[in-house]
Amino acid sequence: MARTFALFHFACIVGLVFSNGEYRERETVSVTASNGMPWPMPQQYSSTSDTFTINRNAFKFRATGQSCDILSSAFFRYQTIIFGFREEVLKFHPKFKAGSLTELDVNVKNKCDQYPYLGMDESYNLTISSSGATLNSNSVWGALRGIETFSQLVLQRSKDMFTVNGTTIVDYPRFQHRGLLLDTSRHFLDVSIIKQNLLAMSQSKFNVFHWHIVDDQSFPYTSNNFPDMATMGAYDSKHIYTQDQIAEIIEFARILGIRVIPEFDSPGHSQSWGKSIKDLLTKCYSSGKPNGQYGPIDPSLETSYGFLSKFFAEIAKVFPDHYVHLGGDEVNFDCWKSNPNITAFMKQKDFGTDYAKLEEYYMQRLLEIVSGVKKGYMIWQEVVDNGAKVRPDTVVEVWKGGYQNEMSKITSLGYKTLLSSCWYLNYISYGSDWPKYYNCEPYNFNGTAEQKKLVIGGETCMWGEYVDNTNVLSRTWPRASVVAERLWSAQNVKDANAAAPRLEEHRCRMIKRGFPAEAVNGPGYCFQEYSIHEPV
Amino acid sequence: MARTFALFHFACIVGLVFSNGEYRERETVSVTASNGMPWPMPQQYSSTSDTFTINRNAFKFRATGQSCDILSSAFFRYQTIIFGFREEVLKFHPKFKAGSLTELDVNVKNKCDQYPYLGMDESYNLTISSSGATLNSNSVWGALRGIETFSQLVLQRSKDMFTVNGTTIVDYPRFQHRGLLLDTSRHFLDVSIIKQNLLAMSQSKFNVFHWHIVDDQSFPYTSNNFPDMATMGAYDSKHIYTQDQIAEIIEFARILGIRVIPEFDSPGHSQSWGKSIKDLLTKCYSSGKPNGQYGPIDPSLETSYGFLSKFFAEIAKVFPDHYVHLGGDEVNFDCWKSNPNITAFMKQKDFGTDYAKLEEYYMQRLLEIVSGVKKGYMIWQEVVDNGAKVRPDTVVEVWKGGYQNEMSKITSLGYKTLLSSCWYLNYISYGSDWPKYYNCEPYNFNGTAEQKKLVIGGETCMWGEYVDNTNVLSRTWPRASVVAERLWSAQNVKDANAAAPRLEEHRCRMIKRGFPAEAVNGPGYCFQEYSIHEPV
């Protein structure tokens, strides 16, 4: 899951265009923020010039249908987000002079689900008029999305007084799976950063946190069954996630309507696993002897599958989402080729010299193990490219360059497909790079209507080689929001110039809410800027 | 002062190299931090295996020579930086079990200067041995640099106990002028961010804060004589620097041995000045009539020079450094060409159609004004390129591509020269970009020894189009530190591979000290990571 050629070439073209003299033009062009416009753009949105006033001391969210902890915590959270983020505590008192709008009625039809899931109903209708403000949704998830939209329409006019315009919104996501990947192996990320990122995600209506929790470099997951994996595989004893912290993150995400899908990538990308699990990794050979290097997980040993069974049985319990991501990308065959035991195994299995078949064999066994613990799986595209049979509910994630052909191929095989190739946020470049993310359209491939239906969404990725606590939030936001709009809004919402003022407002709104969302449109300012504490 | 072609081409090459498959190699290569090594590297440095212990509750800095507020505030600051940054207050008590080292004797020979200045003596000697620890310097500036070095040698071993190895250092900077430019016009930066940045600068031994305070986009400087310039030219009334805040920044920098050189760039880059100063900017014409657009300052009107005299008389008083930066870059002649009054003025002055002569005329007048208020000036290279006569003590800053030829030319004319072309930190690219900054050598041009002597240093620039409070510190650090070493250390300290472990340590040290210094060497971790507060 890394490094497409296309992105680099694109960056070069941008550079050349700049150096051809366009730069000075852009240097002085500022984008003026819109005022009270939502991000992502709802499916249907209209507003009137009627303005309603809200006194923050005399406004309440009211559940008029089903309710539960998810809804009541949203009411609590948004009261603060809209009316007093990082400011004084609100002092509700009915005797305050009310505005013309005193409540948002939130009418959830169906009993709350406990956890968000693939295909959950996130639709909602929101109307704000002289008869009041009402949010209708089938599920609590729709209510969450609608309350976020409502929060974006309300503008502060003075300390206590806010306004909102008459508005009619009918809204639902274009794609079911709208994910963001963080990588906590290349660099560790604090729980507080992950939670802050989840909050930011919810404010752009993302619904999947793809947690690339471990990789070659470190293994911060503290396993109940295999505690040595973290003790020996993490960078050090402070760079780990305890079970309590993982539960805290899952709960924080649940309340925001965000699924947590952990990725335990194998058989490659697993060097850190081998620090503690004896004989798990393939021994690499030079001149007929083990050379001290290790390759991917050894697929020729039954002990490998024994370990994987026990490990994924635990993962199935720890992570409540139906899906777990099994990786399967970038398997290097060199070490397998060097090892005589593997060679013998290849012969025994009649694989000839086709190591893709060996990889397929491994993945097939792994997929059966994970199916056995009643989990669905996500995988990177190579697993299918190499011919492994996967279950029909498998979600295949396309990450390499030339994604159009790959999307055609994967959907023609009948698999649910996610796009991430064009949304690698870690590949930074100078200037306003977000239009290239905005312009990437998941349906932009040759395929039938049936094939298009199999595209269930996409993921934007912030790989961790060059980000950690210091910069992950500012590099991710608001650039990730651009992908969020592509995945939520109608396909024809695609004009970057038209989107720019709303994105500018969205960034400033994020800053007002406490996120270090960086400048993406050139020179300018936000009414309220991000602030740090004074140096000591 | 912007945008060289060369940098963009370089970024493309890096991209192509990565996409040619080198990437995966680098992905897993981590740099292991050194332990107790200084950054920048001292001119002469040797250490022994003798280890001395320090109990932080029983250690003091002691002035054994001259002293003053600068030195005593350094003692106070470094006690905290070394022994308890962001931790509990130290409780000095002589009865604590002392380590084998209980004080650093700081022996400053000459009476303290009040302000740092170009050419100040920053040399120092530091010895740590069984006879104690002694820092000798001629000036208080050398003491500041030496105490910073000392702070980098001390390592924490347990809560109260620290160690330092036997060390002998003879140190002085290769270049007198080691600057960092921040731009507070394209995006405003809070005073707290500027102060945090000054602290970071002092920890890499930078000694000049080049404050590009105003530009086309906004005018945050609150002038005493022309208060409307900020009222009408700043983004809004919150995005300004009051005189008190400017004084606070200058004082904060002074105590750290950092000069503050403000830049008031003209005749171009001055759109924001024109918002308040009537008739200052050239009216642009279309079809024989003013078209509502404005160009550079109008050099044909005496009122322009009247304004500049009054304005720079104030600047000369507000900023104590001998130098002020007058800009002079990127003057676009189109508007001048369109204006019939300018055409008439050109004819009257016999300039023909050579608008460079008009620019020269303007700069000449401006330089005389600034000389008249007893200030020296820095200018961007175009001023000399266009033939303006400047005073012999002028500092010319080279920023364009092809800097080698320009350095040859400017030094052959006998001017003091600064290099910044290769150190534009705002041009970000994916991956580990710091070696390209590290490898840029100011002496790398054809010239005599006399010419080389005229190179007084360089500046690294973080232009503000895409940075603000949210990301300026993480993008600047530790990438700027790389330039700091190039400008401080010996010319032969130039092996990026050898420097990488020290840079890694320097980054982690900055994080420990509270700066969000980002990852620059790929995957890895710091013993202590940067942390944020929990989201509410």
Side-chain angles (χ1 to χ4, degrees):
Chain A
M1 57 299 162
R3 7 256 163 243
T4 70
F5 289 24
L7 284 179
F8 277 121
H9 291 155
F10 187 93
C12 289
I13 292 163
V14 171
L16 293 171
V17 171
F18 282 177
S19 62
N20 275 343
E22 204 201 327
Y23 186 75
R24 291 209 72 237
E25 288 294 317
R26 303 188 61 140
E27 178 189 2
T28 50
V29 170
S30 294
V31 171
T32 302
S34 57
N35 209 14
M37 290 292 287
W39 187 283
M41 181 59 95
Q43 297 286 340
Q44 295 173 35
Y45 166 81
S46 64
S47 69
T48 69
S49 55
D50 296 346
T51 301
F52 304 98
T53 56
I54 301 173
N55 181 327
R56 65 177 178 179
N57 299 298
F59 179 90
K60 279 200 161 174
F61 294 99
R62 194 161 69 99
T64 56
Q66 297 284 341
S67 190
C68 60
D69 57 350
I70 297 169
L71 195 61
S72 50
S73 87
F75 287 177
F76 180 83
R77 189 166 66 250
Y78 280 96
Q79 197 87 24
T80 316
I81 287 175
I82 302 175
F83 299 118
F85 206 88
R86 293 198 165 177
E87 291 177 26
E88 68 272 60
V89 175
L90 301 173
K91 10 172 212 322
F92 181 83
H93 196 293
K95 284 189 182 163
F96 274 96
K97 185 183 179 319
S100 52
L101 196 68
T102 56
E103 66 183 47
L104 175 67
D105 292 344
V106 179
N107 186 34
V108 176
K109 193 170 158 194
N110 301 325
K111 213 163 148 250
C112 295
D113 304 306
Q114 198 186 351
Y115 284 100
Y117 55 92
L118 177 62
M120 60 184 159
D121 185 343
E122 296 173 282
S123 67
Y124 67 92
N125 295 337
L126 175 65
T127 53
I128 302 165
S129 71
S130 53
S131 8
T134 308
L135 172 63
N136 285 300
S137 68
N138 292 319
S139 77
V140 71
W141 314 120
L144 287 184
R145 306 303 173 237
I147 295 171
E148 173 59 37
T149 303
F150 176 76
S151 79
Q152 299 184 357
L153 306 177
V154 178
L155 297 172
Q156 186 159 16
R157 300 302 182 175
S158 64
K159 182 164 170 290
D160 285 325
M161 293 310 287
F162 294 69
T163 60
V164 62
N165 275 31
T167 306
T168 307
I169 286 174
V170 176
D171 203 11
Y172 50 86
R174 181 153 74 116
F175 293 108
Q176 297 174 341
H177 183 122
R178 304 179 307 281
L180 186 152
L181 178 152
L182 292 183
D183 164 6
T184 56
S185 172
R186 277 61 176 253
H187 282 99
F188 184 80
L189 298 174
D190 279 358
V191 172
S192 59
I193 294 275
I194 292 175
K195 287 166 76 175
Q196 194 75 328
N197 196 67
L198 286 164
L199 258 184
M201 285 172 66
S202 74
Q203 295 175 11
S204 285
K205 298 187 169 65
F206 277 109
N207 66 1
V208 177
F209 170 36
H210 177 163
W211 191 355
H212 190 87
I213 187 167
V214 301
D215 205 296
D216 285 332
Q217 287 82 358
S218 75
F219 197 97
Y221 173 77
T222 306
S223 164
N224 291 317
N225 291 334
F226 303 97
D228 282 354
M229 292 183 83
T231 313
M232 302 170 74
Y235 280 130
D236 72 12
S237 61
K238 293 198 299 183
H239 292 81
I240 59 162
Y241 302 103
T242 65
Q243 286 288 330
D244 280 353
Q245 289 173 321
I246 290 163
E248 181 184 344
I249 287 167
I250 292 168
E251 176 61 11
F252 197 83
R254 180 183 79 85
I255 288 288
L256 301 171
I258 296 173
R259 303 161 58 202
V260 177
I261 300 181
E263 178 179 354
F264 291 91
D265 193 353
S266 75
H269 289 278
S270 56
Q271 292 289 309
S272 66
W273 309 31
K275 299 264 174 73
S276 56
I277 309 298
K278 199 170 162 305
D279 295 333
L280 181 65
L281 302 184
T282 307
K283 289 191 178 68
C284 312
Y285 279 64
S286 302
S287 319
K289 279 185 297 194
N291 63 11
Q293 303 283 306
Y294 293 90
I297 288 179
D298 190 330
S300 71
L301 299 177
E302 278 306 307
T303 50
S304 295
Y305 303 106
F307 160 78
L308 291 167
S309 297
K310 205 168 166 196
F311 183 74
F312 279 103
E314 170 182 327
I315 297 307
K317 274 189 230 154
V318 169
F319 292 91
D321 199 80
H322 179 61
Y323 285 88
V324 57
H325 201 303
L326 300 177
D329 61 311
E330 297 185 314
V331 181
N332 187 323
F333 297 151
D334 294 343
C335 183
W336 281 350
K337 287 179 186 169
S338 78
N339 182 308
N341 302 324
I342 302 258
T343 309
F345 185 76
M346 293 280 289
K347 189 173 272 179
Q348 178 201 322
K349 291 284 179 188
D350 229 6
F351 291 160
T353 54
D354 186 355
Y355 285 83
K357 285 194 176 149
L358 182 60
E359 182 181 351
E360 184 195 341
Y361 172 83
Y362 171 86
M363 287 309 298
Q364 206 64 60
R365 296 282 307 263
L366 175 62
L367 298 180
E368 281 157 18
I369 287 166
V370 175
S371 290
V373 293
K374 305 276 182 283
K375 284 281 175 180
Y377 36 77
M378 287 174 60
I379 44 176
W380 297 109
Q381 67 180 72
E382 287 98 316
V383 179
V384 174
D385 291 349
N386 288 334
K389 281 179 216 109
V390 296
R391 277 206 327 227
D393 68 342
T394 301
V395 175
V396 182
E397 186 158 10
V398 173
W399 68 271
K400 290 188 173 188
Y403 73 86
Q404 291 89 343
N405 290 340
E406 186 73 8
M407 298 287 283
S408 289
K409 177 176 145 191
I410 303 278
T411 53
S412 74
L413 293 169
Y415 297 120
K416 290 191 174 75
T417 308
L418 288 177
L419 177 62
S420 68
S421 304
C422 47
W423 293 319
Y424 271 40
L425 297 178
N426 50 311
Y427 287 132
I428 54 170
S429 58
Y430 181 69
S432 198
D433 68 349
W434 66 267
K436 77 180 171 194
Y437 302 116
Y438 198 66
N439 292 334
C440 180
E441 167 54 48
Y443 284 163
N444 184 20
F445 66 89
N446 289 326
T448 63
E450 282 307 302
Q451 281 177 270
K452 301 288 165 91
K453 270 190 202 155
L454 288 165
V455 180
I456 59 164
E459 295 195 336
T460 182
C461 304
M462 181 52 86
W463 294 99
E465 283 85 353
Y466 293 95
V467 294
D468 65 5
N469 292 348
T470 63
N471 60 354
V472 68
L473 293 175
S474 60
R475 279 200 186 180
T476 303
W477 304 101
R479 292 162 73 231
S481 303
V482 167
V483 182
E485 174 149 302
R486 175 62 45 247
L487 293 172
W488 177 281
S489 304
Q491 189 171 355
N492 64 7
V493 178
K494 63 180 183 184
D495 178 344
N497 288 328
R502 274 189 305 110
L503 183 62
E504 188 69 12
E505 179 180 12
H506 189 59
R507 160 175 126 88
C508 289
R509 183 166 49 224
M510 290 190 77
I511 286 177
K512 189 169 184 227
R513 294 177 180 192
F515 303 97
E518 69 184 22
V520 292
N521 285 319
Y525 70 103
C526 296
F527 181 74
Q528 186 173 328
E529 300 285 4
Y530 186 72
S531 66
I532 62 161
H533 297 287
E534 284 278 305
V536 293
Chain B
M1 57 300 165
R3 7 252 164 244
T4 70
F5 288 25
L7 284 178
F8 277 121
H9 292 155
F10 187 92
C12 290
I13 291 163
V14 171
L16 292 172
V17 170
F18 281 177
S19 63
N20 276 342
E22 204 200 325
Y23 186 74
R24 290 209 73 236
E25 287 295 317
R26 303 188 61 142
E27 178 188 2
T28 50
V29 171
S30 294
V31 172
T32 303
S34 57
N35 210 13
M37 291 293 286
W39 187 282
M41 182 58 96
Q43 298 286 340
Q44 295 174 36
Y45 166 81
S46 63
S47 68
T48 70
S49 56
D50 296 346
T51 301
F52 304 98
T53 55
I54 301 174
N55 181 328
R56 65 176 177 179
N57 300 298
F59 178 89
K60 280 200 159 174
F61 294 98
R62 194 161 68 98
T64 56
Q66 297 285 341
S67 189
C68 58
D69 57 352
I70 297 169
L71 194 62
S72 49
S73 86
F75 288 177
F76 180 83
R77 191 167 64 250
Y78 280 96
Q79 197 87 21
T80 316
I81 286 175
I82 302 174
F83 298 118
F85 205 88
R86 294 199 164 179
E87 292 177 24
E88 68 271 63
V89 174
L90 301 173
K91 8 173 215 316
F92 180 83
H93 196 293
K95 284 190 181 162
F96 275 96
K97 184 184 178 319
S100 52
L101 196 69
T102 55
E103 64 183 48
L104 174 67
D105 292 344
V106 179
N107 185 34
V108 177
K109 192 170 158 195
N110 301 325
K111 211 162 148 252
C112 296
D113 304 305
Q114 197 185 351
Y115 285 100
Y117 55 91
L118 177 62
M120 59 184 159
D121 185 343
E122 296 172 281
S123 67
Y124 68 93
N125 296 338
L126 175 65
T127 54
I128 302 165
S129 71
S130 53
S131 10
T134 309
L135 172 63
N136 285 300
S137 68
N138 293 319
S139 75
V140 69
W141 314 119
L144 288 184
R145 306 302 173 238
I147 296 171
E148 173 60 36
T149 303
F150 176 77
S151 79
Q152 299 184 357
L153 305 177
V154 178
L155 296 173
Q156 186 159 18
R157 301 302 183 175
S158 64
K159 182 164 171 288
D160 285 327
M161 293 308 288
F162 294 69
T163 61
V164 63
N165 275 31
T167 307
T168 307
I169 287 174
V170 177
D171 203 12
Y172 50 87
R174 180 154 74 115
F175 293 107
Q176 298 175 339
H177 184 122
R178 306 179 305 282
L180 185 152
L181 177 151
L182 291 183
D183 165 7
T184 56
S185 172
R186 276 63 176 252
H187 282 99
F188 184 79
L189 298 173
D190 278 0
V191 171
S192 58
I193 294 276
I194 292 174
K195 287 166 76 176
Q196 194 75 329
N197 195 66
L198 286 164
L199 259 183
M201 286 172 65
S202 73
Q203 296 176 10
S204 284
K205 299 187 169 64
F206 277 109
N207 66 359
V208 177
F209 170 37
H210 176 163
W211 191 355
H212 189 86
I213 187 168
V214 301
D215 205 296
D216 285 332
Q217 287 81 359
S218 75
F219 197 97
Y221 173 77
T222 305
S223 163
N224 291 318
N225 291 334
F226 302 97
D228 284 352
M229 291 183 85
T231 313
M232 300 171 75
Y235 281 131
D236 72 12
S237 61
K238 293 200 300 184
H239 292 80
I240 59 163
Y241 303 103
T242 64
Q243 285 288 329
D244 280 353
Q245 289 173 321
I246 291 163
E248 182 184 344
I249 286 167
I250 292 168
E251 176 60 13
F252 197 84
R254 179 183 78 86
I255 288 289
L256 301 171
I258 296 173
R259 302 161 58 202
V260 177
I261 300 181
E263 178 180 355
F264 290 91
D265 192 353
S266 74
H269 289 277
S270 56
Q271 291 289 309
S272 66
W273 309 31
K275 298 265 174 72
S276 56
I277 308 298
K278 198 169 162 309
D279 295 332
L280 181 66
L281 302 184
T282 306
K283 289 190 179 68
C284 312
Y285 279 64
S286 303
S287 319
K289 278 185 297 192
N291 63 12
Q293 304 282 306
Y294 292 90
I297 288 178
D298 190 331
S300 71
L301 299 177
E302 277 306 308
T303 50
S304 296
Y305 304 105
F307 160 77
L308 291 167
S309 297
K310 204 168 167 196
F311 182 74
F312 280 101
E314 170 182 328
I315 296 308
K317 275 189 231 154
V318 170
F319 293 91
D321 199 81
H322 179 61
Y323 285 87
V324 58
H325 201 302
L326 300 176
D329 59 311
E330 297 186 312
V331 181
N332 186 324
F333 296 152
D334 294 343
C335 183
W336 281 351
K337 286 178 187 169
S338 78
N339 182 309
N341 303 324
I342 303 258
T343 310
F345 186 76
M346 294 280 288
K347 188 173 272 177
Q348 178 201 323
K349 291 286 180 189
D350 228 6
F351 291 161
T353 55
D354 186 355
Y355 286 82
K357 286 195 175 150
L358 182 60
E359 182 181 352
E360 185 196 341
Y361 173 83
Y362 171 86
M363 287 309 297
Q364 206 62 60
R365 296 282 306 263
L366 175 61
L367 299 178
E368 281 157 20
I369 287 166
V370 175
S371 290
V373 292
K374 304 279 182 281
K375 285 281 174 180
Y377 36 78
M378 288 174 59
I379 43 176
W380 298 108
Q381 67 181 71
E382 288 98 315
V383 178
V384 174
D385 291 350
N386 288 335
K389 282 179 216 109
V390 295
R391 277 204 328 227
D393 67 343
T394 300
V395 175
V396 181
E397 187 158 10
V398 172
W399 70 271
K400 291 188 173 189
Y403 73 85
Q404 291 88 343
N405 289 340
E406 185 74 8
M407 298 286 284
S408 289
K409 177 176 143 191
I410 303 278
T411 54
S412 73
L413 293 169
Y415 297 119
K416 291 191 173 74
T417 308
L418 289 176
L419 177 61
S420 67
S421 304
C422 48
W423 292 319
Y424 271 40
L425 297 178
N426 50 310
Y427 288 131
I428 54 171
S429 57
Y430 181 69
S432 198
D433 69 348
W434 66 266
K436 78 179 171 194
Y437 303 115
Y438 198 65
N439 291 334
C440 180
E441 168 53 50
Y443 284 161
N444 183 21
F445 66 89
N446 289 326
T448 62
E450 282 307 301
Q451 281 177 268
K452 301 288 164 93
K453 270 190 202 154
L454 287 166
V455 179
I456 60 165
E459 295 195 337
T460 183
C461 304
M462 181 52 85
W463 293 100
E465 284 85 352
Y466 293 94
V467 294
D468 65 4
N469 292 348
T470 64
N471 60 354
V472 68
L473 293 174
S474 61
R475 280 200 185 179
T476 302
W477 304 100
R479 293 161 73 231
S481 303
V482 167
V483 181
E485 176 150 301
R486 175 62 45 247
L487 293 172
W488 177 280
S489 304
Q491 189 171 356
N492 64 5
V493 178
K494 62 180 183 184
D495 179 344
N497 288 329
R502 275 190 305 110
L503 183 62
E504 188 70 12
E505 179 180 11
H506 188 59
R507 160 176 125 89
C508 289
R509 183 166 49 223
M510 289 190 77
I511 286 177
K512 190 169 183 229
R513 294 178 179 191
F515 303 98
E518 68 182 23
V520 292
N521 285 319
Y525 70 103
C526 295
F527 180 75
Q528 186 173 328
E529 300 285 4
Y530 186 72
S531 66
I532 62 161
H533 296 289
E534 284 278 307
V536 294

